[in-house]
Structure formats: structure tokens, C-alpha cells
Amino acid sequence: MTVHQLPLSGITVVSLEQAVAAPYATRQLADLGARVIKVERPGEGDFARRYDTTVHGHSSYFVWLNRSKESLTLDLKDPRGMEILHQLLDGADVFVQNLAPGAIDRLGLGVDALAARYPRLIPCTISGYGTSGPWADRKSYDLLVQCQTGLVSLTGTADETARVGISVADIAAGMYAYTGVLTALYTRATTGRTHPVEVSLFEALAEWMGQPANYTRYGGSQPARLGTQHATIAPYGAFTTADGKQVLFSIQNEREWAALCADFLGEPALTNDPRFATGSDRVAHRDVLNAIVAERCARSDAEENLKDLEEIGIACAGVNDVAAFLDHPVLAARERWREVAVPGATVQALLPPADLAGIPARMDPVPAVGEHTDAILTGLGLAPDDIQALRADAVI
């Protein structure tokens, strides 16, 4: 199946993007067939290209976030570069940007200015704390937002907080920008009305903090920080086995609790023990209960524990490192890995998680800086001599 047959074929996205949040949103639009033109700085490009060099000399972040896009280099401080951008916007459906606070307005590309000039264009703004309010002018990055939403205070052990190990605030914002743009495209198609989209990292992650927010507001204290243990369910967490590995399982209801007591712990009387009679009782007596469970898990190796838990219908799993995840049998059996080209090499990449029946995923190359500049400018009608002059003046 060609790109022209994908769901978003015919949709053009122009993006002034950097780092993680906006590139994640636009990559998912590209996955569905949208033409995504990534505007980068001449020479250096998106600074995320230099976060690391672990993937055949390329950044692990950039390779993940930028397949299936076209890279165009433009100096937007030069009027000629800005004119080229406006030519692109004139034919675009969506404009995505996550520049620093105030930068887009200084370029004359704020939402109101775009609406006046391009009434069918859907602008999507991704910011740190929103474009209004007392923190509108603050720069932000993922860990700052993890701290400000209280997520870091929930993550780690009783002795020490910890950053979530992935860029969760950026990913949350990218997901809401992606779904917001899809919604705006659908609304434009069905009503003719154009609605700008705005997402902030802070408000995206704030939404994901809904359960601990409710627990804290109405319970009087926030959930405890317990490592792999669950703050409001017990037993729920990782336990060490006889071979030094860990198995994780959770008890979700009273039927599972009774089965655990009788068929795994070998102590059916615990089912009605007043200390463990309800979910709240088990949480209140977590230390005693965990000691009982830990002693049982320590008698058998990880494989035996998992087999015993699975036989009685308890959800369980080993605790993988990233290398074990890469070799996961589910990914292999379901053929989730594909090859994607990067400049000078190929890499393994996962298919998008949403499968559309009958529509193969688009897994096109990750672009080099400015790789598509000449082709894009030629498509706009510029002659080779004009393109060469722009390059000589470092406009492209």
C-alpha cells in the first residue's frame, strides 16, 4: 500500500518542532500518511539530533521520533526563509510548533495572525505551562513538569524520589497534540470550522495525575512512595525468588485473594484473617502480608513461581530489563519489529501500537538535516540557481 492510500494521505503538516513533544505528535501523523515537513535550522537542525550518538551515530531520541518526515532547512530570521515558510503554510492543513515562549509571536506566526492569513490552517501549539497564566513565559522540560505535577514525589522508594525513566510529560503532550489535531481535522471536514489546538506539557501530565489527585484531595494524604509496591492495593509488587530474580503480581479482587491464600501461600485461613479481610485491611497490614508472600516466593525460582501463579489465575510477570524487553516473545510472535532507514544504516523500530485492519504501517526513513530541501523548494517553483543562491547565503 502506498502513502496515497493511507488514512491521512493528502494532509500536509508543517512543523517548527524540536526535542520530543511536537516531533512525537507529528511522527504519528506521518505514520498515518500525512506529509510532514520538518523545518530545521540550517546546519545543525533540531537539537535533539545531538542528544546522543548511540544509534549508528544518530540520536536514539531523534531516530524514534522522526521517521517518515521530510527535512527542510530554513533561516526564519531571513525574510527569504520566512517567505518560503509562508508558501508552505499556504498549502498546508496543520501547523505544529513547540518553540520557546514568545518565539512564535516574534516570528509573526501567532494563532490570530495565522487565522487571518490562512483560515483553513489548523495551528497546534505545544507549550510548557500554557500560553496564558502566570507561568506562560517560563521555559520547561520534561523533568521540571514531572516535579511540578507531583509525579516525582510518587516515584521511587520511601527513602528517595526518582524521575520516571522515560520522557513521560513530553509523551503525554505529544499524544494529546496528536489526538487534538485529528479531532480538529475531523471537525473541519464535517463542519468546515477550523479550531486551533493548544496543549501544555503541564496540563497533559496533570490529566495523568487524576487518581493520586483524587486520593490526596479527598483522603487527606498522598499515596505512599513504595517502589514497585502499589500504594492502595496489597499484595501488589515485585518479590524476590530463590534464584535471585523477581516476579511481580497483583491481587485485584476477593476471588483472587482467596485463591492466593489457598493455592499459592498454602494458608486458606488467611482469607478471613481480620488483618487481611478487605483490600483496605491488606494495605493497612502490608508489611506483615508482604513478609508472608516474600517467604513463599523465596522457596521457588522465578519460573516456578510464575507457573504456580498463572495456574490459579493471578496476573503475573517477571521484571524485565530493556534487553529482555527487546527480545520479548510477544513482539517477535506478533511481528512488531520493522527495519527503518537512517542516514548510513538501518535500525529496528516498533510498529505503531494502533493497528488499522488492512492498512500496513508507514515506516519510511529518518531524514538527514535538510535532506529534502532542494526537492521541496523545487516543488514550490524555485529554479536551481535560486536554490543555490539561498544556500550560498545560508538561508537554507
Side-chain angles (χ1 to χ4, degrees):
M1 178 170 288
T2 67
V3 171
H4 299 294
Q5 296 171 292
L6 291 171
L8 292 185
S9 64
I11 296 296
T12 297
V13 179
V14 175
S15 188
L16 290 181
E17 59 181 31
Q18 55 196 2
V20 176
Y24 189 48
T26 59
R27 196 218 75 194
Q28 293 176 94
L29 297 170
D31 289 344
L32 293 175
R35 182 190 187 192
V36 175
I37 300 173
K38 181 184 180 80
V39 179
E40 302 190 68
R41 299 173 186 85
E44 60 185 20
D46 180 348
F47 57 74
R49 287 182 179 272
R50 298 178 304 285
Y51 277 167
D52 60 75
T53 57
T54 57
V55 185
H56 300 295
H58 303 287
S59 160
S60 55
Y61 281 90
F62 194 86
V63 168
W64 166 46
L65 297 166
N66 289 285
R67 66 172 180 252
S68 304
K69 299 180 184 179
E70 300 172 41
S71 173
L72 165 69
T73 51
L74 284 180
D75 179 2
L76 296 181
K77 295 180 181 179
D78 188 297
R80 292 168 291 175
M82 183 58 72
E83 177 55 32
I84 290 168
L85 179 63
H86 278 293
Q87 289 181 58
L88 290 172
L89 292 177
D90 190 45
D93 299 280
V94 179
F95 174 59
V96 179
Q97 66 87 17
N98 66 332
L99 302 184
I104 203 69
D105 291 314
R106 290 192 295 273
L107 290 172
L109 299 172
V111 170
D112 292 340
L114 291 174
R117 188 164 178 172
Y118 310 109
R120 283 184 52 80
L121 181 69
I122 297 169
C124 176
T125 300
I126 302 175
S127 66
Y129 298 101
T131 58
S132 62
W135 284 29
D137 294 331
R138 290 200 183 197
K139 291 184 177 181
S140 70
Y141 54 84
D142 184 84
L143 184 52
L144 288 176
V145 175
Q146 288 192 36
C147 290
Q148 287 298 305
T149 56
L151 178 58
V152 167
S153 77
L154 300 174
T155 307
T157 67
D159 297 325
E160 187 175 8
T161 60
R163 167 189 176 270
V164 175
I166 59 174
S167 301
V168 64
D170 285 313
I171 293 168
M175 285 299 303
Y176 286 118
Y178 164 60
T179 57
V181 166
L182 291 179
T183 303
L185 285 169
Y186 176 80
T187 302
R188 192 187 69 175
T190 55
T191 70
R193 294 193 297 272
T194 300
H195 296 280
V197 177
E198 180 178 345
V199 177
S200 76
L201 273 68
F202 179 75
E203 288 160 358
L205 196 55
E207 164 64 20
W208 289 14
M209 287 290 291
Q211 180 274 324
N214 281 336
Y215 187 97
T216 302
R217 184 185 296 275
Y218 300 106
S221 61
Q222 73 175 45
R225 192 171 59 248
L226 298 167
T228 63
Q229 299 289 314
H230 196 288
T232 60
I233 302 173
Y236 189 145
F239 296 89
T240 302
T241 60
D243 53 354
K245 298 179 181 179
Q246 288 192 314
V247 297
L248 184 141
F249 69 90
S250 66
I251 296 302
Q252 298 286 312
N253 54 54
E254 298 310 310
R255 180 196 61 76
E256 291 183 355
W257 168 240
L260 185 80
C261 292
D263 301 323
F264 182 73
L265 298 177
E267 299 186 45
L270 288 177
T271 303
N272 298 314
D273 187 311
R275 296 172 298 175
F276 313 130
T278 68
S280 296
D281 292 328
R282 293 192 287 275
V283 171
H285 298 92
R286 179 197 307 275
D287 290 345
V288 176
L289 177 55
N290 279 353
I292 296 170
V293 174
E295 189 277 330
R296 165 61 182 85
C297 289
R299 288 186 230 149
S300 306
D301 65 23
E303 185 175 347
E304 292 168 341
N305 275 289
L306 292 171
K307 179 176 178 292
D308 291 342
L309 289 164
E310 288 170 358
E311 286 180 349
I312 62 173
I314 304 298
C316 59
V319 180
N320 285 346
D321 59 14
V322 178
F325 154 70
L326 293 175
D327 292 330
H328 203 288
V330 171
L331 298 176
R334 286 176 51 77
E335 300 180 336
R336 302 305 295 179
W337 294 104
R338 294 291 185 277
E339 284 196 346
V340 169
V342 301
T346 60
V347 300
Q348 294 290 305
L350 284 169
L351 291 170
D355 292 331
L356 299 178
I359 301 178
R362 181 186 182 191
M363 306 289 284
D364 288 350
V366 176
V369 178
E371 179 178 341
H372 301 91
T373 297
D374 286 18
I376 292 170
L377 297 184
T378 298
L380 292 175
L382 275 73
D385 288 347
D386 297 328
I387 296 172
Q388 183 55 39
L390 292 171
R391 183 165 283 115
D393 291 341
V395 178
I396 58 175

